[in-house]
Amino acid sequence: MHYASAFALLAALDNADGEVFARVRGTYAPHLGEARGLPAALITSVIRYGTGADLIRAAARNPNIRVTTEVLAEARPAVAALRFLRHCAAHDAFSYLRPTTEVTALLERHLGADPRAWSRLLALLPDCQGTVAELVEAAGAGTGGTEVIPTPPRTVATEWRQLLLSARPELLTALVPHLRPRTVLDLVHFGALLPGPIVAEVVRRATPKQRLALAAAGSVRAEAHDALIDLGVPEVNAAVYNNPRAGDRERNRIMAAAGTVPLDPDTRTRALRSDNIRYRRPGVWSGDPTLVRAALLRVRQANVSVSTCIRTWEEGGTQALRPLFRDTFGNRRQHEPFVVPVHRAVLLGALLALWDRHGVAGAASLVEDLPLREGPAAKLRAMFEAGEEGRARLRAEYERGLARRSPRSDPPRVPQGFLIGAPWDPRAAWSALEAAHAQAPLPAATARYLTALPDCPAPIAEAADDGEALRERWPVGGGWRRVYPHDDSYTKEVRRLRVELTKIPDLAERVFIAATPAERALELYDRIQRYAPEPESAAAQRARMAEYIREYLGEGLEARVIAARMAPSFAGTLPELFATAAAAAG
């Protein structure tokens, strides 16, 4: 018998206290990762009696929203239940997010923003033997507590952070003055939705080592990156630049400030040699002639590596670079070494940065290296000849270009994203969106998705298509996501089982037919429990199985334990298994 079928039987044999699993844990625990879709009752027993390794194995193969929701409601102790859900998040975000919505509602209903209630929650957390709901309810109904919430014990620090991150952002913001600075730093590190001024203050008070850890963190939000860049520390900027979670805007800001905050040598080397355009492209804003050329390099037509191209340009200029961009087959077409940015504002920004750092000659040399049309090139040369007046005109045209809607090349022959989060282009503010909505109402579907963002204005939330504001988002897997209820694989299995039950009227009864091999009977029973079209039919089947087991094994624990131990290697039918176990138990 496969362990998937044996697990279904173990869940049926076990009692409410999980005593059967506790007796046979040594037999089943090493195989928890082999079966996909463990019964919720069995997972509850694993949480109660299993080790940390058992929780990881059980979570690895059970990314199921319905199971994790039931586990949250029934599993105890609370710390182990939270730990199991967190392990599930590593494999499937939504199996974690769905029960987390319930935790958010519990925290808001019973604790709110009362620091005394949260301090009681922390005091109860390490030794709580009840469910998560019972833990939160007990903290809300209790008395006492302190205005200053203490630092959590190391044993439950992760679960405490998990609960804080599950609170609504406005509640968490209200709690910040009552939390220890180390706790707030921990929340920022893991991407808590906190206002920008609070994040900036946390970054300002952090030690150099803590700032480097924040800059390299995978879950930190853009507000923290902005605050770190504002410090103007090359080592911190390097950590942000090399963080895969950082975006174009953060890297563009670092490059744009290269004139006042020197680039870390490793960052400059990576920007010059990397084949990853995300690390080279921001150099267009740097004002460094070599970095600008690396950002604009036409890599797709090059016959050598990026570093070789840059070294060749430094030694012999554009003319020495051209032979490296000639096709080595066919008509031996000659390609230009550099591309002209699709967005004119990007070109103007690059020229301004070069002019500011290296004078007009640095900007003019870029114009000569790029394959510009004669008209635009002549206009730029005229600005260079006009001196400071020309630079003022160039800057004014650049600012107008950023304010305009960017044109698109459709389809773009050279994929470019230089303008994504341009360093001087501020983030879109709610005031601008609200004004646009007042002038021309946003589509209902667009308004609905905008409600998922923090601080969404009421006029936009009211325009949502179904009136439901999706402000609730939860951190998981290094980002913040909403909960989507659709599950294609589950829907298909439910439909398949419904068709089978309709076309084979006695299918559900085959579980209890003596001639059916135990493995096939339990496989069918497990499918009905997981994919029954109506919950009532699964409950009826579960009650029938309990009665079937009592008929053979009675209420005694020993016979059930023996049956559970025999199940993985048993090749007969269910009645034969139960009869053998009953005889062995005496």
Side-chain angles (χ1 to χ4, degrees):
M1 183 186 299
H2 292 299
Y3 270 93
S5 302
F7 284 133
L9 177 61
L10 176 58
L13 290 169
D14 211 352
N15 57 21
D17 294 327
E19 294 177 291
V20 175
F21 174 79
R23 295 273 298 275
V24 301
R25 194 196 71 81
T27 302
Y28 283 84
H31 304 279
L32 286 170
E34 297 177 10
R36 188 174 184 85
L38 293 176
L42 177 59
I43 294 177
T44 301
S45 299
V46 173
I47 291 172
R48 188 167 188 173
Y49 296 105
T51 64
D54 295 344
L55 293 181
I56 293 175
R57 280 193 289 265
R61 299 283 289 169
N62 290 277
N64 187 300
I65 292 174
R66 285 148 296 279
V67 171
T68 52
T69 303
E70 186 176 344
V71 165
L72 174 70
E74 299 179 2
R76 61 190 71 218
V79 170
L82 291 170
R83 198 167 293 158
F84 170 78
L85 294 176
R86 198 169 63 252
H87 292 321
C88 287
H91 304 280
D92 180 76
F94 300 122
S95 65
Y96 169 78
L97 291 174
R98 175 62 71 187
T100 301
T101 63
E102 304 296 333
V103 177
T104 300
L106 282 169
L107 294 172
E108 182 178 25
R109 184 163 57 249
H110 296 283
L111 305 185
D114 180 8
R116 292 181 177 274
W118 281 87
S119 65
R120 294 195 297 267
L121 177 69
L122 177 57
L124 294 172
L125 182 61
D127 301 317
C128 176
Q129 296 303 310
T131 64
V132 174
E134 291 169 351
L135 167 67
V136 176
E137 290 168 2
T143 58
T146 59
E147 285 291 329
V148 178
I149 303 173
T151 302
R154 187 180 297 272
T155 53
V156 295
T158 304
E159 288 70 36
W160 175 242
R161 181 179 66 238
Q162 187 177 350
L163 289 170
L164 287 173
L165 288 172
S166 299
R168 291 185 184 276
E170 55 269 25
L171 297 184
L172 186 57
T173 301
L175 288 173
V176 165
H178 305 277
L179 294 169
R180 297 287 187 182
R182 185 64 184 85
T183 303
V184 182
L185 176 67
D186 195 44
L187 292 173
V188 172
H189 184 103
F190 285 91
L193 281 169
L194 294 172
I198 292 179
V199 175
E201 180 63 17
V202 169
V203 170
R204 187 188 66 80
R205 296 169 60 178
T207 65
K209 186 175 180 180
Q210 290 170 340
R211 290 170 180 172
L212 287 175
L214 282 176
S219 303
V220 73
R221 291 177 54 77
E223 291 82 359
H225 280 152
D226 286 345
L228 290 165
I229 295 170
D230 289 340
L231 296 173
V233 180
E235 293 78 10
V236 173
N237 283 358
V240 174
Y241 198 93
N242 293 326
N243 189 338
R245 296 283 184 176
D248 287 339
R249 182 180 186 275
E250 286 72 29
R251 296 192 179 96
N252 288 345
R253 284 196 61 200
I254 291 170
M255 283 295 184
T260 55
V261 182
L263 291 176
D264 183 83
D266 292 339
T267 301
R268 190 175 190 279
T269 300
R270 183 168 191 174
L272 289 176
R273 296 183 178 179
S274 178
D275 289 326
N276 189 335
I277 189 64
R278 294 187 62 198
Y279 294 103
R280 280 190 299 108
R281 184 171 58 203
V284 74
W285 305 101
S286 66
D288 182 307
T290 308
L291 288 171
V292 172
R293 266 70 174 191
L296 297 177
L297 201 63
R298 193 186 295 270
V299 175
R300 288 190 174 186
Q301 275 72 40
N303 300 323
V304 294
S305 65
V306 172
S307 57
T308 301
C309 291
I310 295 302
R311 185 169 59 251
T312 303
W313 178 82
E314 290 177 329
E315 294 172 353
T318 305
Q319 291 306 317
L321 198 57
R322 288 184 183 278
L324 304 180
F325 288 83
R326 183 180 296 116
D327 288 342
T328 57
F329 55 88
N331 58 8
R332 296 182 63 80
R333 178 184 175 186
Q334 175 66 59
H335 299 280
E336 290 292 335
F338 303 108
V339 299
V340 179
V342 173
H343 309 294
R344 181 169 172 80
V346 177
L347 173 60
L348 298 179
L351 293 173
L352 275 172
L354 286 168
W355 196 334
D356 292 341
R357 291 190 63 184
H358 298 279
V360 68
S365 66
L366 179 61
V367 172
E368 299 306 319
D369 285 349
L370 294 179
L372 291 165
R373 294 194 301 272
E374 187 55 36
K379 182 179 178 181
L380 291 172
R381 292 190 188 101
M383 291 182 183
F384 299 150
E385 293 171 359
E388 289 302 318
E389 180 186 349
R391 176 153 58 170
R393 285 171 22 215
L394 185 67
R395 192 177 302 279
E397 185 177 348
Y398 164 72
E399 292 173 353
R400 288 196 304 270
L402 281 185
R404 267 198 316 268
R405 181 180 176 84
S406 303
R408 290 184 60 187
S409 169
D410 192 20
R413 288 172 294 177
V414 180
Q416 295 182 353
F418 296 104
L419 201 60
I420 298 176
W424 295 287
D425 186 19
R427 296 182 186 275
W430 280 120
S431 57
L433 282 174
E434 196 169 0
H437 178 67
Q439 184 176 0
L442 294 170
T446 302
R448 181 172 186 268
Y449 282 103
L450 285 174
T451 61
L453 302 174
D455 305 322
C456 177
I460 294 179
E462 291 169 1
D465 55 0
D466 58 357
E468 177 188 358
L470 300 176
R471 292 192 182 91
E472 296 82 357
R473 294 190 299 164
W474 292 268
V476 61
W480 288 77
R481 303 178 70 172
R482 292 186 300 276
V483 177
Y484 293 93
H486 194 60
D487 185 343
D488 285 333
S489 61
Y490 176 79
T491 303
K492 291 175 182 177
E493 288 295 335
V494 171
R495 186 184 305 117
R496 175 186 168 196
L497 182 60
R498 180 187 288 115
V499 171
E500 291 178 359
L501 291 172
T502 302
K503 294 189 174 182
I504 311 174
D506 62 340
L507 181 63
E509 291 300 317
R510 294 186 182 183
V511 174
F512 308 104
I513 294 177
T516 306
E519 183 170 0
R520 290 181 58 187
L522 291 172
E523 181 183 354
L524 175 58
Y525 172 76
D526 186 44
R527 285 186 61 211
I528 293 174
Q529 292 303 304
R530 293 168 61 188
Y531 305 117
E534 294 82 23
E536 296 78 11
S537 58
Q541 192 84 343
R542 195 159 51 247
R544 177 80 184 278
M545 177 61 79
E547 181 182 346
Y548 193 60
I549 291 173
R550 279 195 299 271
E551 179 183 341
Y552 283 92
L553 302 180
E555 298 290 350
L557 183 64
E558 194 61 35
R560 293 171 182 250
V561 171
I562 293 173
R565 284 180 176 151
M566 293 173 57
S569 58
F570 196 79
T573 64
L574 273 180
E576 292 171 348
L577 171 63
F578 293 153
T580 305

